[in-house]
Amino acid sequence: MISIRFDASGKLPLVCAALPLLLANHVSAQVSTPLELNEVVVTAEKRSESVQDVGASVSVIGSELLDNLHATQLTDIGAYVPGLQIDSGGTPGQTTISMRGIAPLSAGATVGTYLDDTPIGSTSIHDRGSAYALDILPYDVQRIEVLEGPQGTLYGADSVGGALKYILTSPNLTKTEVRVGADVFGISGAGNPGGGARAMLNTALIPDSLGLIASVASENTPGYIDSSQSGRKDQNAARQQSGRLALLWQPASNLSVRFGGLFQHTIADGNASVALGPVTLQPLSCKLCDNNYLPNVFKGNLQFYSADVNWDLGWGKFVSATSFSNQQTQVDADVTRTYQPIFALFGAPGGLSIFPLNLTTRKYTQELRLSSASDIPLEWLGGLFYTHEQGTNHQSLTAENPNGSLIDGINPFFVGSLPTTYKEYAAFGNLTYHITQKFDVSGGIRYARNDQEFRQILEAGPLIATGSNQSGTSSEGVWTYSAGPRFHFTPDVMAYARVATGYQAGGPNLAFPGIPPSVKSDRLTNYEVGLKSEYWGHRAIVNVSAYDIEWKDIQVTGSLPGGITYIANGGTARSQGVEADMTVRPVDRLIVEATANYTDAKLTQDVPSIGGNSGDRLPFVPKWSGSLRADYTMPLANDWNGHAGGGLRLVGVRYSSGALALDEFKTGAYGALDLNTDVSNSRYTVRIFAKNVTNRHAILTASGTQNGLTGDIVQAEGVVLQPRTVGLSLDARF
């Protein structure tokens, strides 16, 4: 599916007038007019091609929509893409991505995340990649490509649900551009204003040969959650900072080399979560109140370095993509309500406890690709991929007095580390045979082998009677494939069918009695049919697809007494759905977009380890979701233009998994209205933006807090939709 920004924006009330106009004219002759929508080119299949020609479901979020929404994290845009679900742990960077109902049920990610051509994030099952997906401040992002359905053939492990690609702005080889900007905004319930600043230089150091881009951005979001327990106000303030430097060298017209470095830093004083009753999910205190004793701190850092070579050989293209990333995550979670009952066993009632979690992923990747020209009867692409990943997972559990001092004799309750090494070698290839000008058939295959090493280091303490230092290894080879025909009824109407597979990598497991020594990869097969079409002289695009996904050997998280969790294979699931989107330009200055998605994702086999029964809905997945956007522009005096836009995002009822059941917490449906308006010329843009205009209070996800002695759920923690946010931004180009 595509959900794209093609032009500047418009007034929401005009949506209703645009839909009948589209339906009345969608069969008109295909005659090019000045009103036609712009073509959008993507690299979803590792070739540059029109998104309307890709025989798979692909959505695109452009930089214009990111600016209009004042998007500072993925949760701002997820609901505008059919089939995409973005869930937050309460801060930017605590992010879980699901697609087409394929949500992570363990620590491993089900959606691959890419910066340009290289994967980011942990592949190991022990480094919690599912909870900390890449969530960069998108100032220097040209577009975001969303590839729905398994992408195992071209993108490898952990892309069972799909892949999300950040395409960064490329250095300029012909001119110089300087951009600067700033914003200020307020959030309902926050005691302080928020704001940010940004700057970018994109210049040709040597015309037609050497270009440089440098950018920095910073965003401060005020807190709006209070603690009824500690009395802290606005405790979830967050700060995001990013910087990027890239060089593009073109020694010849057919050869280019790009070097880049990116830095991202996020720190939050607390989570945007509130204390809820475990059954009613109603606030225990107030709508924006938690009852934590101690701060829930999140810190995330990313260092990313890349070197890409693109060589056009005439008969084909050679690409080398090299990267190194160092991703660090620190989470201090207040777990007092879970472990406070245990303190009494050690003669220290009323104690406090923090669970510090420190994750590090150092990842090197190398991909080599050779592809044919795109205008021959038999197109081909082949490549090799290698990655070496080292991860650390250090955990502990403190025992503190109410005054903050540590309790001698029982502090720390627990200390453990899970260092891992992950290596993968892969080869892949793809063929497309053009049987006629209208009909072609594609097929691809990939073989990947991973070798892993793992250690479980536990120190003796109150919760662990005997320390240990145990090792584990695993090796696994996995085949994935994709195949499908594509038929063009006309140059503007194309139907396709696709079958594709994907997998999550397995690995060695924790060493405890009753736990399997290793976890095998899960497997997923996607069957899909779709129609992509343009009508009315390229002024309207209508795309629709239907899918049936079969998922087996699902990786799930089990638990042992004392809060120890492990990974295991269990059960099967099925996700069936339909996605649709439409973009229409009924008059010169108006663009209207609509998306709709239906997903029925359920277990088809009992999974007792997670309290799952056949027929239970998979967590985080609404059955119904959709969006409606309209953008309108008009000329003003001199060279100034005016613009107004609005968007409505709709998300249906969802379930969050808990300790006792897969679908333990039911969260209600909600709708959120976003508005923006601006005036601009070739140099300046002044914009007013508003998110969640009606100040809708909604619980996005919920998790249970257990009593450490009895296992009972004593309360729930619910992440809330950011309250009404209204702001002003100014950007200038020179």
Side-chain angles (χ1 to χ4, degrees), residues 539-579:
R539 293 164 60 180
I541 293 175
V542 179
N543 294 336
V544 63
S545 67
Y547 54 86
D548 182 350
I549 299 175
E550 307 292 335
W551 196 6
K552 65 179 182 179
D553 295 326
I554 302 172
Q555 293 179 14
V556 299
T557 300
S559 61
L560 296 174
I564 296 173
T565 60
Y566 62 93
I567 310 297
N569 295 106
T572 58
R574 186 179 193 182
S575 180
Q576 298 175 299
V578 179
E579 299 166 349

Side-chain angles (χ1 to χ4, degrees), residues 279-301:
V279 178
T280 64
L281 292 190
Q282 294 301 307
L284 293 178
S285 179
C286 73
K287 287 185 176 181
L288 297 178
C289 291
D290 203 353
N291 61 358
N292 53 300
Y293 289 85
L294 300 168
N296 292 295
V297 178
F298 171 80
K299 296 179 182 178
N301 288 287

Side-chain angles (χ1 to χ4, degrees), residues 45-50 53 312 314-317 371-381 432 434 440 486:
E45 296 192 324
K46 301 201 173 182
R47 292 177 179 270
S48 294
E49 56 187 331
S50 169
D53 288 332
D312 190 340
W315 51 268
K317 292 184 178 181
S371 60
S372 70
S374 298
D375 55 355
I376 59 177
L378 182 62
E379 298 178 12
W380 51 266
L381 179 150
T432 299
H434 295 270
D440 58 63
R486 181 176 56 174

Side-chain angles (χ1 to χ4, degrees), residues 25-272:
N25 292 276
H26 76 278
V27 295
S28 298
Q30 304 298 299
V31 179
S32 178
T33 75
L35 300 180
E36 67 182 30
L37 298 168
N38 295 335
E39 181 183 47
V40 175
V41 176
V42 297
T43 57
E45 296 192 324
K46 301 201 173 182
R47 292 177 179 270
S48 294
E49 56 187 331
S50 169
V51 71
Q52 289 299 102
D53 288 332
V54 179
S57 184
V58 181
S59 299
V60 179
I61 296 293
S63 59
E64 185 177 1
L65 181 57
L66 296 174
D67 291 341
N68 286 343
L69 293 175
H70 189 251
T72 58
Q73 54 186 307
L74 287 174
T75 52
D76 290 330
I77 61 173
Y80 289 107
V81 179
L84 175 65
Q85 182 63 44
I86 306 296
D87 289 297
S88 172
T91 70
Q94 295 192 78
T95 307
T96 298
I97 308 176
S98 310
M99 289 188 192
R100 288 190 167 179
I102 306 304
L105 301 181
S106 68
T110 56
V111 173
T113 307
Y114 278 70
L115 270 175
D116 289 325
D117 265 341
T118 56
I120 294 291
S122 174
T123 313
S124 167
I125 62 175
H126 297 291
D127 289 344
R128 308 199 181 197
S130 64
Y132 305 108
L134 179 65
D135 195 355
I136 65 174
L137 191 61
Y139 176 59
D140 203 2
V141 173
Q142 184 185 73
R143 67 181 184 274
I144 299 174
E145 298 181 8
V146 181
L147 289 58
E148 299 182 44
Q151 307 293 325
T153 303
L154 291 178
Y155 291 91
D158 292 353
S159 59
V160 289
L164 187 146
K165 296 178 65 175
Y166 293 92
I167 306 300
L168 302 178
T169 305
S170 187
N172 204 309
L173 294 179
T174 59
K175 62 181 181 180
T176 295
E177 179 186 20
V178 177
R179 292 178 57 193
V180 294
D183 57 74
V184 61
F185 58 92
I187 299 178
S188 179
N192 298 297
R198 49 202 174 268
M200 182 176 72
L201 169 66
N202 195 350
T203 184
L205 300 176
I206 303 175
D208 301 318
S209 180
L210 184 66
L212 174 144
I213 188 169
S215 69
V216 293
S218 178
E219 192 79 9
N220 293 298
T221 302
Y224 45 86
I225 302 293
D226 300 334
S227 173
S228 60
Q229 185 70 48
S230 69
R232 293 184 69 215
K233 301 292 186 181
D234 302 333
Q235 63 177 0
N236 65 311
R239 182 172 72 251
Q240 299 165 268
Q241 297 173 315
S242 69
R244 180 179 174 233
L245 183 67
L247 281 170
L248 177 62
W249 178 42
Q250 187 171 295
S253 60
N254 65 337
L255 176 64
S256 65
V257 182
R258 185 173 65 176
F259 302 96
L262 181 145
F263 167 78
Q264 173 90 7
H265 173 69
T266 302
I267 182 170
D269 297 330
N271 296 330

Side-chain angles (χ1 to χ4, degrees), residues 293-476:
Y293 289 85
L294 300 168
N296 292 295
V297 178
F298 171 80
K299 296 179 182 178
N301 288 287
L302 171 67
Q303 298 174 56
F304 172 79
Y305 307 96
S306 63
D308 301 322
V309 177
N310 285 267
W311 186 13
D312 190 340
L313 303 168
W315 51 268
K317 292 184 178 181
F318 170 78
V319 174
S320 171
T322 308
S323 76
F324 173 77
S325 59
N326 185 0
Q327 195 166 5
Q328 298 172 322
T329 302
Q330 177 186 336
V331 180
D332 291 342
D334 177 19
V335 291
T336 299
R337 295 187 184 277
T338 294
Y339 290 96
Q340 197 174 62
I342 298 177
F343 278 69
L345 301 180
F346 299 93
L352 308 178
S353 189
I354 281 283
F355 175 68
L357 173 66
N358 291 276
L359 304 169
T360 301
T361 301
R362 296 168 62 87
K363 186 169 188 171
Y364 167 79
T365 71
Q366 175 65 61
E367 181 165 302
L368 302 174
R369 252 184 0 256
L370 187 63
S371 60
S372 70
S374 298
D375 55 355
I376 59 177
L378 182 62
E379 298 178 12
W380 51 266
L381 179 150
L384 300 171
F385 175 80
Y386 170 74
T387 185
H388 182 279
E389 178 183 316
Q390 289 184 307
T392 62
N393 179 332
H394 184 78
Q395 310 172 20
S396 61
L397 190 62
T398 68
E400 304 178 16
N401 289 304
N403 63 6
S405 63
L406 301 178
I407 302 177
D408 293 335
I410 62 173
N411 181 77
F413 267 130
F414 164 83
V415 176
S417 294
L418 305 174
T420 59
T421 300
Y422 179 95
K423 296 180 182 179
E424 182 181 317
Y425 315 81
F428 58 92
N430 193 78
L431 294 174
T432 299
Y433 180 45
H434 295 270
I435 299 173
T436 68
Q437 288 186 337
K438 293 185 175 182
F439 182 60
D440 58 63
V441 178
S442 296
I445 196 168
R446 183 187 189 104
Y447 177 75
R449 177 180 176 83
N450 66 74
D451 299 313
Q452 299 186 55
E453 297 177 359
F454 163 82
R455 296 200 73 83
Q456 175 183 298
I457 304 170
L458 301 177
E459 296 184 14
L463 298 185
I464 301 292
T466 304
S468 64
N469 188 332
Q470 297 175 278
S471 63
T473 61
S474 71
S475 296
E476 188 176 31

Side-chain angles (χ1 to χ4, degrees), residues 479-514:
W479 290 94
T480 53
Y481 65 88
S482 64
R486 181 176 56 174
F487 183 78
H488 285 85
F489 296 98
T490 71
D492 299 321
V493 179
M494 182 266 286
Y496 69 89
R498 182 174 184 256
V499 57
T501 62
Y503 73 101
Q504 277 182 298
N509 214 346
L510 296 181
F512 286 101

